[in-house]
Amino acid sequence: MPVENYAAWIGVDWSDKKHDIALQAADCNETELSVVSHTPETIHVWVAQLRQRFKGQKVALCTEQKQGALIYALCQYDFIVLFPVNPQTVAKYRRAFTPSRAKDDLTDACILLELLVKHRDKLTAWTPSSPQMRELQKLVEWR
């Protein structure tokens, strides 16, 4: 997708309790930092605010997760384009620029945002499987 098709770029570092978020609107070079708790209600409110703020235009969202509760919650929204990144990519990027190897969730959200903004041409947008395929995958994993 061309760059101009996104109203904003978002990096999300997820965890089971909270999600650290780094957001950059297309018309601004400033990075906005925030934290959202890991509840369906809070995530829904945050997404509703994004939809209203960017008038339903497409936003690109980068995360280290390719499956799980956050991804399944976000893939139901048609204006969010997901870009999953391998966690090792983020770790190596962090190590390259932070020799101390200090890890911080907000820093990782900023790294995800930077990967999305500067290296989007090397990332692939994620398209979810059909509900039937997801169900089959769960059964196969369980087995």
Side-chain angles (χ1 to χ4, degrees):
M1 238 180 189
V3 174
E4 50 276 358
N5 282 352
Y6 295 112
W9 299 278
I10 305 168
V12 177
D13 186 67
W14 66 277
S15 73
D16 59 343
K17 303 228 186 289
K18 66 177 178 69
H19 307 297
D20 290 86
I21 299 167
L23 182 146
Q24 181 179 334
D27 59 357
C28 181
N29 287 330
E30 302 259 335
T31 300
E32 302 169 26
L33 305 174
S34 60
V35 177
V36 174
S37 65
H38 180 68
T39 65
E41 299 81 18
T42 307
I43 293 169
H44 178 72
V45 168
W46 176 70
V47 170
Q49 291 169 346
L50 284 176
R51 184 186 297 274
Q52 182 179 3
R53 176 179 175 183
F54 297 111
K55 298 173 179 56
Q57 295 176 297
K58 297 246 184 245
V59 297
L61 189 144
C62 188
T63 183
E64 294 176 288
Q65 195 177 27
K66 193 170 187 171
Q67 59 185 353
L70 178 63
I71 292 297
Y72 294 128
L74 294 174
C75 75
Q76 67 181 320
Y77 300 101
D78 61 343
F79 73 101
I80 295 177
V81 180
L82 299 169
F83 289 87
V85 174
N86 188 312
Q88 285 299 315
T89 302
V90 176
K92 289 177 181 178
Y93 197 89
R94 181 185 337 103
R95 194 173 306 133
F97 297 103
T98 312
S100 69
R101 297 189 182 190
K103 187 190 178 323
D104 173 286
D105 292 341
L106 203 47
T107 301
D108 281 359
C110 290
I111 288 171
L112 287 161
L113 174 63
E114 188 172 332
L115 285 169
L116 187 58
V117 170
K118 293 184 177 178
H119 305 289
R120 182 174 45 263
D121 59 327
K122 294 174 182 70
L123 302 176
T124 304
W126 181 73
T127 51
S129 302
S130 67
Q132 296 85 1
M133 284 302 293
R134 285 197 304 260
E135 184 63 31
L136 179 61
Q137 184 177 3
K138 285 180 193 174
L139 292 171
V140 170
E141 288 173 5
W142 179 79
R143 184 171 180 239

